[in-house]
Amino acid sequence: MTALLVVTAVPAEADAVRAGLTDPDVTVTPVGVGPAVAGAATARLLALAEAAGRPYRAVVCAGVAGGFTGRAEVGDTVVGTVSIAADLGAESPDGFIPVDELGMPPALLGAGSRVPTDPGLLAALRAALPTAAAGPVLTVSTVTGTTASTDELRRRHPEAVAEAMEGYGVAVAAAQAGVPFAELRTISNPIGPRDRDAWRLHEALAALTAAAPALR
């Protein structure tokens, strides 16, 4: 059986995942912070594995995230149903316009601003993590840090449960390679006015270790 690829942003997240794995047929690799570097690094890993005749059977973007209060609280686990590039588009006097609505030819949009989770992976993760919140996970290049921007994201994405910085990039790389994709997050902080004292990174990493057996 070919391996499952799990990518994280930073080594601490990769270590947390490895600490909880029960399936030896899982490769865990930190690929960097942000959608561009994560997408590029994931694409390279997928291409190298395919060229070597050992393609990955799926890729999961895993790590910590901010949670929308009332939907995912600090320490909770989140299974993404779709990864959304929340800040990919254009500003206008009437508000933000997603890239999908800018009138570009479909070929130029690639995956658009939304990449759904593979149904099989989603079902398996939800079965293995029945208490996890499930919903859209937003990908942002700038972490939300004000009440105004939080309220705007809630308005535009009322079902979203969390925001992170890599999921959409990894999802696009997986889609281009024809590899199933999923996103698994644990919550380190509430989304809102930036307050590092409110972050609970240790709790989020411990939750990531506890969720890791679902990765198989």
Side-chain angles (χ1 to χ4, degrees):
M1 180 183 293
T2 54
L4 170 69
L5 175 63
V6 178
V7 297
T8 69
V10 298
E13 293 167 322
D15 290 342
V17 171
R18 292 189 190 106
L21 285 177
T22 57
D23 185 347
D25 192 34
V26 176
T27 299
V28 185
T29 305
V31 292
V33 176
V37 67
T42 300
R44 179 176 182 273
L45 291 170
L46 294 175
L48 288 173
E50 183 176 4
R54 298 187 298 274
Y56 290 107
R57 56 184 168 85
V59 58
V60 176
C61 182
V64 304
F68 284 101
T69 302
R71 301 172 195 161
E73 310 301 332
V74 172
D76 284 355
T77 297
V78 166
V79 176
T81 57
V82 58
S83 292
I84 301 174
D87 52 12
L88 181 62
E91 291 185 328
S92 81
D94 297 321
F96 181 81
I97 305 172
V99 68
D100 315 67
E101 299 175 15
L102 291 178
M104 298 179 182
L108 298 182
L109 292 180
S113 64
R114 304 168 65 94
V115 182
T117 299
D118 176 79
L121 286 179
L122 178 59
L125 287 173
R126 296 193 70 174
L129 300 165
T131 63
V137 177
L138 308 183
T139 297
V140 294
S141 295
T142 301
V143 173
T144 303
T146 68
T147 298
S149 53
T150 302
D151 290 346
E152 175 64 8
L153 284 180
R154 282 183 177 271
R155 184 189 67 79
R156 287 170 39 213
H157 304 285
E159 302 301 319
V161 293
E163 75 165 20
M165 300 183 74
E166 296 79 32
Y168 176 78
V170 176
V172 170
Q176 292 288 329
V179 175
F181 163 83
E183 186 166 5
L184 176 67
R185 296 286 179 177
T186 55
I187 305 304
S188 61
N189 59 281
I191 299 170
R194 186 169 176 79
D195 178 11
R196 286 302 301 269
D197 291 337
W199 288 28
R200 297 292 182 266
L201 188 58
H202 178 76
E203 291 179 28
L205 291 174
L208 197 57
T209 297
L215 300 170
R216 56 182 180 225

